[in-house]
Amino acid sequence: MNVRDLIPWNRGSSQVPSVYRGDDMDPFLSLHRNVNRLFDDVFRGFGQPSAFGGMTPFNGSWPTVEVEENENEIRVIAEVPGIDPDDVEVLLDDGVLTLRGEKKSETEDKDRRFTERYYGRFERRLALGGQVDENKVAATFKNGLLAVTLPKTEKARTNVKRITIDSTK
């Protein structure tokens, strides 16, 4: 027996391994792919865990946020399109910033045949720690963007400690 006879893709005229050919695909590989696809489809609707704790309501979290930080302040920008500024509430309690509100529908459900838009209440909590001067927090709302500026306390600004990295190992 020749060693070449043991190599599965040298037996026929096709140079593609038999595992990848459609006509005689390995049934276990096919089952494996279908089960993976099933789990991907099922868990796609649950959303990803948020970086700040909790599960997101669907594929992305809502409202989506961008957090910027420098030595003087923390700035949180949240996308809340289609929401009136009066329907949004910003709270800061013990180092946790809470954004909550409600997006209301312009039409009643009986008039709607199909929608992919999201309506309803939302709440997003961001743990920022105790380094924020709660008396100087400011929020602005423009073009569907809610920007919250949280100045750091003097103690937080001076309390930064640089750690040296040992690279001898």
Side-chain angles (χ1 to χ4, degrees):
M1 176 182 265
N2 192 347
V3 174
R4 287 186 169 183
D5 292 335
L6 297 175
I7 301 173
W9 53 85
N10 273 345
R11 290 191 188 138
S13 61
S14 174
Q15 293 297 311
V16 179
S18 64
V19 173
Y20 298 108
R21 277 187 263 155
D23 54 346
D24 56 347
M25 183 181 284
D26 182 10
F28 292 107
L29 180 62
S30 176
L31 176 66
H32 178 71
R33 286 182 183 159
N34 287 333
V35 169
N36 282 343
R37 189 175 305 127
L38 174 70
F39 277 100
D40 288 344
D41 290 344
V42 167
F43 289 111
R44 185 173 296 131
F46 286 112
Q48 304 297 322
S50 172
F52 298 101
M55 292 295 285
T56 59
F58 24 79
N59 286 347
S61 58
W62 196 73
T64 55
V65 297
E66 184 175 84
V67 180
E68 303 169 352
E69 181 177 7
N70 59 37
E71 59 275 353
N72 297 321
E73 65 186 16
I74 300 171
R75 186 168 162 91
V76 177
I77 301 169
E79 288 184 339
V80 285
I83 297 179
D84 192 77
D86 296 331
D87 293 333
V88 178
E89 187 177 18
V90 179
L91 305 168
L92 183 64
D93 183 29
D94 199 24
V96 177
L97 178 68
T98 303
L99 308 174
R100 76 169 63 136
E102 182 176 7
K103 183 174 181 183
K104 299 174 184 168
S105 174
E106 299 87 26
T107 62
E108 291 189 27
D109 289 336
K110 65 179 180 154
D111 297 333
R112 186 178 319 130
R113 292 186 179 261
F114 175 77
T115 185
E116 289 182 343
R117 298 175 65 192
Y118 173 75
Y119 298 104
R121 296 186 162 279
F122 66 88
E123 183 170 315
R124 187 82 191 264
R125 294 175 185 251
L126 306 170
L128 303 173
Q131 61 187 359
V132 174
D133 187 355
E134 295 183 4
N135 297 323
K136 296 182 180 177
V137 176
T140 59
F141 193 95
K142 184 177 180 182
N143 296 332
L145 293 177
L146 172 66
V148 182
T149 305
L150 305 122
K152 291 183 179 180
T153 61
E154 190 64 37
K155 181 181 176 185
R157 282 185 254 163
T158 60
N159 229 10
V160 176
K161 180 180 177 183
R162 182 167 298 274
I163 313 272
T164 59
I165 301 171
D166 184 17
S167 62
T168 59
K169 293 182 181 182

